[in-house]
Amino acid sequence: MSNFRDPTMPLQFVYTNQDLVTDVCRISKNSPGMASPPAKFDTTIQAGWTHRMERGLFRYHLGDLQTRILPGSHSYVAQLNIQRGVERRKPQEILSIQQEFNAKQFNFNKINPEEIIFEMTKDTERGTALQYDGQVHQPCRMVVLVNVSPLEFGHCLFVPDPSRCLPQVLTRFAIQVGIESVLLSSDPGFRMGFNSLGAFASVNHLHLHGYYLDKELKIESMPAKPLVPERGFYRLLDFPAGFLFYTESAEVEKVSTAICEVTDFLVDGNIAHNLFLTRGCPPCDRTQSEKNLYWRKGVRIAVWPRLSCFGAKEESAFNVALCELAGHLPFKNKKDYDLTTEKDVIDIIQRYLLPDREFHRLEQQLTRHLMDL
C-alpha cells in the first residue's frame, strides 16, 4: 500500500477508548515522579502547531511568554501577551446568547485550509460514531486548527464539523470530544475551554479552545460540595462561584450528557457561561489529601454562569473569559501585568459574576433539573 497522502486532505486522527490516558500525575517539588511519555495526541498537535508557526501562518510569532505568579492564596498565573491584544481579529458583534449563525460573517469555513492540523474521529465497535445514552449517533468529525492569534503554546480551536454551520452553543458531541481530548493528552498542562455568546466568544461558529499551560492552577484541586454526585455535579467552594463536573474515562458519556443538560438550561434562560476543562483531582469538600493532591486521572469541567457582556466593552487589564475564571490571566499591556494584584483580579472578575442570590437560585434549579432527568 502506498504511503502517499494527498496534501489537500487534512491528516486524520482516529482514536478509541484505549487511547485515553488514565495514569497522569502532576509532578511537584515535594512529590517528584516520572513524567508520562508524550501521547500521540500531544506530539501530533505540538508538531503541527510548531510547523505552522515556523511557516508564518499566525498573525504573530509567539515565543516564551513573560509569566509571574501573583502573590496571594489564589496563585493566579499572569502572562504578558501584548501582541494578542493588538493583532487578533476584531471580535464579532454579539447581541444575544441565542444568536443564529450568519454565513456572511467570519466563520471557520473561511480559513486558510493550511491552518488545519487534523480531523478527529472516534473509532467505536460500531464504526466512527459516538454513543449517547446507549444510542449510536451519526459520525461527526472534530476539526482541529491553529488559533492564529494564540494566547499560549499549542493554542488550537476544536470545531465540530464546520460545514454544519452551528452557532456557538454547546452540543453533547462537542462536550464529549472536549473531555476525551483532555484524556487523550498525557500532559496535565493541556486545557480546553468554551466561551458562550455574551461571555466573550468572538466568533459565532461552534468551537472550543485547547492550549498548553505549564503551571498548576487552583481549579485542579479546589474543594467542591456535592450537589448531584451520581451525575458528577458539584459546586465550587472557592472564588469564583461556579459549578464543577468530574469524570474519569469510564463515565465520559454520562457526564457529557449531564453537562449538556446544564448548558442547555443556561442557554434557555439566556444566561451567559464559560467552561474550563482540565486534568484534576476527584472532587472533595475539603483540602485534598497528599495522596490525591497530585493524581490527575480524571477531568474537571468547571461551569461558570455569569453576567452577559455584549458589544465591544473590554477591561483595560484583561477580559473575563474561560482562562481568566480558571486563574490564567493573559495581560495585554506591561503596566497592568506588573502592577495588578490579587485583589484587583478578584474585583474585576466579581463584576462579571451573577449576584449571590441569583447564583443560589440557579443552583437550586439546576440541582432539581438534574435529579428529575
Side-chain angles (χ1 to χ4, degrees):
M1 181 182 290
S2 171
N3 290 325
F4 175 77
R5 184 174 69 84
D6 184 345
T8 65
M9 296 293 290
L11 179 68
Q12 299 299 307
F13 185 94
V14 181
Y15 68 98
T16 70
N17 283 335
Q18 281 64 50
D19 295 310
L20 305 182
V21 184
T22 58
D23 55 350
V24 174
C25 184
R26 177 170 283 289
I27 299 171
S28 76
K29 294 175 185 175
N30 301 325
S31 174
M34 291 297 293
S36 301
K40 179 185 175 185
F41 176 84
D42 297 310
T43 55
T44 307
I45 281 189
Q46 293 175 14
W49 192 90
T50 302
H51 177 61
R52 285 158 180 78
M53 177 65 72
E54 291 169 348
R55 290 177 56 206
L57 292 178
F58 291 72
R59 287 176 174 246
Y60 49 87
H61 179 81
L62 186 79
D64 291 336
L65 294 172
Q66 195 174 339
T67 303
R68 74 184 183 101
I69 308 300
L70 270 55
S73 62
H74 292 277
S75 300
Y76 288 125
V77 179
Q79 289 190 314
L80 183 62
N81 190 341
I82 296 172
Q83 288 174 293
R84 178 170 165 83
V86 174
E87 302 288 348
R88 67 179 298 202
R89 183 183 293 106
K90 184 180 177 183
Q92 293 173 3
E93 184 178 21
I94 305 298
L95 303 173
S96 164
I97 292 164
Q98 302 184 48
Q99 190 164 313
E100 294 182 1
F101 177 88
N102 183 348
K104 294 180 181 178
Q105 292 186 311
F106 170 80
N107 62 75
F108 300 114
N109 294 311
K110 298 183 178 184
I111 64 162
N112 177 351
E114 294 183 21
E115 295 170 17
I116 297 173
I117 298 178
F118 57 70
E119 294 184 354
M120 291 175 72
T121 51
K122 186 174 184 180
D123 189 5
T124 68
E125 292 178 358
R126 305 185 186 208
T128 51
L130 286 184
Q131 297 182 45
Y132 303 123
D133 304 325
Q135 297 181 352
V136 178
H137 290 245
Q138 288 301 309
C140 190
R141 62 197 175 108
M142 180 72 88
V143 176
V144 180
L145 54 126
V146 296
N147 187 329
V148 294
S149 302
L151 61 83
E152 243 294 8
F153 174 70
H155 188 181
C156 293
L157 301 174
F158 289 65
V159 185
D161 197 347
S163 64
R164 294 179 64 192
C165 300
L166 299 171
Q168 184 68 348
V169 174
L170 279 170
T171 63
R172 281 181 294 180
F173 172 82
I175 294 166
Q176 181 170 332
V177 179
I179 295 172
E180 289 175 340
S181 295
V182 177
L183 289 169
L184 283 167
S185 172
S186 61
D187 188 333
F190 180 69
R191 332 286 182 159
M192 289 197 68
F194 171 85
N195 298 321
S196 80
L197 301 180
F200 283 110
S202 58
V203 177
N204 186 18
H205 190 182
L206 181 56
H207 65 285
L208 291 86
H209 294 262
Y211 69 99
Y212 292 86
L213 176 69
D214 188 24
K215 298 291 180 185
E216 184 171 359
L217 298 172
K218 288 289 188 181
I219 193 70
E220 297 174 31
S221 56
M222 186 183 290
K225 172 188 172 182
L227 296 176
V228 191
E230 62 272 20
R231 304 206 65 194
F233 186 50
Y234 301 78
R235 173 166 60 84
L236 293 169
L237 290 176
D238 202 347
F239 181 86
F243 302 110
L244 181 74
F245 286 89
Y246 176 80
T247 182
E248 296 182 4
S249 56
E251 304 293 324
V252 171
E253 292 173 19
K254 183 179 81 170
V255 172
S256 299
T257 299
I259 295 170
C260 196
E261 287 164 6
V262 166
T263 56
D264 283 350
F265 188 95
L266 296 175
V267 171
D268 290 344
N270 286 306
I271 300 172
H273 48 282
N274 304 94
L275 275 72
F276 191 81
L277 296 75
T278 183
R279 291 271 181 177
C281 311
C284 178
D285 60 5
R286 56 191 179 280
T287 304
Q288 293 284 342
S289 69
E290 189 73 22
K291 178 183 175 183
N292 289 331
L293 190 58
Y294 299 109
W295 276 113
R296 297 291 183 268
K297 293 185 177 183
V299 180
R300 284 181 162 221
I301 305 97
V303 181
W304 288 285
R306 43 87 60 77
L307 298 176
S308 299
C309 182
F310 297 119
K313 182 178 173 184
E314 291 198 0
E315 287 292 344
S316 58
F318 57 85
N319 294 332
V320 177
L322 67 93
C323 54
E324 291 82 2
L325 288 163
H328 172 210
L329 310 170
F331 283 87
K332 293 175 280 189
N333 69 71
K334 185 78 164 63
K335 181 180 178 182
D336 287 327
Y337 171 80
D338 287 336
L339 300 180
T340 298
T341 65
E342 180 177 274
K343 183 181 183 303
D344 296 331
V345 173
I346 292 171
D347 289 345
I348 291 172
I349 291 176
Q350 188 67 57
R351 295 205 288 268
Y352 289 87
L353 300 178
L354 295 179
D356 288 347
R357 182 178 296 181
E358 192 174 336
F359 177 82
H360 289 301
R361 184 169 64 245
L362 179 62
E363 176 185 329
Q364 293 170 348
Q365 292 171 334
L366 288 172
T367 300
R368 285 196 301 267
H369 184 64
L370 286 178
M371 291 176 74
D372 289 345
L373 290 170

